[in-house]
Amino acid sequence: AGQEVQEIAKTIGSRCKVLVDAQATADAFRSAAPSAGLIHIATHGRTNPISPMMSFLVLSPSETNAGFLYAQDICSLRLQARLAVISACRGYLGQQTMAGSLGLALAFTVAGCPSVVASLWDVDSKATKDWMVSFYQNYVKHGKSKAESVQLACKALLARPEYRHPYYWAAWTLMGSDR
């Protein structure tokens, strides 16, 4: 995750705030996220099918938090980001109800983020890093739309022999607006 974030930061440039290791606490996220234009979280995620708002992302512990960022905490934020990327296993899935998926991705939407990129299943760390770098190069560096950047990142991995199986590239999906 650290390598992934550092490579993405190079693509985005100096305008990004990078929180890694001990700096990447739930408190630091809650403080920085409302003013961010783009949010990228690279960590472990777990959905809770019994209580979807208790699904969480694993961050570093702090004095006031055990290191978990719960979906209910994300919902309470007021985000201005146009895109949140959850680079974690199963960030999209949650309990399926009449209202749809109540997982982590929806929490970002409730908080005001119109677009979320997340995975549908547990993902390979190295393939994820490569997918994410390709996604951001297309989206930020080349100005492609979010949907086209997802498609091009999938195609980039598909073209590599070690990543041809859909397990490596097909987990990633865009929820929400392409604008």
Side-chain angles (χ1 to χ4, degrees):
Q3 285 181 335
E4 176 183 318
V5 171
Q6 296 301 335
E7 286 194 44
I8 291 167
K10 289 179 198 172
T11 300
I12 294 173
S14 62
R15 62 186 187 264
C16 70
K17 180 174 187 168
V18 177
L19 301 172
V20 294
D21 300 326
Q23 299 172 326
T25 65
D27 295 334
F29 176 84
R30 282 192 292 274
S31 175
S35 62
L38 186 150
I39 297 169
H40 181 92
I41 299 177
T43 188
H44 296 288
R46 286 293 163 233
T47 56
N48 184 329
I50 305 300
S51 180
M53 289 297 107
M54 294 304 290
S55 298
F56 61 90
L57 296 166
V58 180
L59 301 176
S60 294
S62 67
E63 292 179 18
T64 60
N65 188 288
F68 301 130
L69 180 64
Y70 291 93
Q72 67 185 12
D73 297 332
I74 296 166
C75 287
S76 70
L77 298 173
R78 294 297 157 244
L79 303 176
Q80 68 177 6
R82 302 296 302 152
L83 173 66
V85 178
I86 306 170
S87 181
C89 295
R90 289 186 271 178
Y92 179 75
L93 291 180
Q95 182 180 15
Q96 297 300 315
T97 68
M98 287 177 26
S101 178
L102 297 176
L104 293 162
L106 187 58
F108 279 94
T109 302
V110 169
C113 189
S115 305
V116 180
V117 170
S119 66
L120 296 170
W121 55 75
D122 289 343
V123 291
D124 177 79
S125 294
K126 183 171 180 342
T128 295
K129 179 185 76 73
D130 293 349
W131 191 96
M132 290 294 168
V133 169
S134 178
F135 171 81
Y136 280 104
Q137 286 175 343
N138 286 296
Y139 180 60
V140 174
K141 198 171 185 180
H142 301 299
K144 304 288 185 187
S145 72
K146 297 166 192 167
E148 189 175 7
S149 298
V150 167
Q151 179 185 34
L152 291 169
C154 289
K155 285 182 175 182
L157 261 65
L158 181 59
R160 295 173 57 181
E162 69 271 31
Y163 296 140
R164 280 208 183 111
H165 192 280
Y167 162 77
Y168 294 105
W169 53 268
W172 301 101
T173 189
L174 171 66
M175 178 177 120
S177 172
D178 189 33
R179 303 279 177 240

